[in-house]
Amino acid sequence: QVQLVESGGGLVQAGGSLRLSCAASGRTVSISRMGWYRQAPGKERELVATISSGGSTNYADSVKGRFTISRDNAKNTMYLQMNSLKPADTAIYYCKQVTVYGTYWGQGTQVTVSS
């Protein structure tokens, strides 16, 4: 079993920045794909960004150039640096890890961007 715990969410004004963290514990493995997803009220959960264990990244068009995903394999931690935040970025942000043992989700962290 893998446990994922997100942190770093909060309230920020438009144009501001936040850094989210996702710490993995339990049955962690070195080879895994991790990602950030978000869900706004009344909307479907959507992909924000993903990163492979080798560091290959993928971003949603809506966050390209503003968000940066990274990971520290030695610490089993993934990050999402969010800059130039917009009210449309308001959502619960979830981290996800896909390994040979299964797919795991964190409990989510709220990000609220005020205009």
Side-chain angles (χ1 to χ4, degrees), residues 54-96:
S56 298
T57 59
N58 179 55
Y59 294 92
D61 288 342
S62 59
V63 306
K64 281 180 181 176
R66 300 187 299 121
F67 291 10
T68 302
I69 189 171
S70 62
R71 64 191 288 175
D72 185 335
N73 291 330
K75 295 182 178 179
N76 293 318
T77 301
M78 175 179 64
Y79 306 96
L80 185 68
Q81 178 66 44
M82 305 186 294
N83 299 328
S84 302
L85 282 161
K86 306 174 181 179
D89 296 317
T90 295
I92 299 175
Y93 283 70
Y94 299 89
C95 68
K96 174 183 175 182

Side-chain angles (χ1 to χ4, degrees), residues 102-114:
T103 299
Y104 305 94
W105 291 89
Q107 82 290 346
T109 185
Q110 177 70 48
V111 171
T112 303
V113 185
S114 63

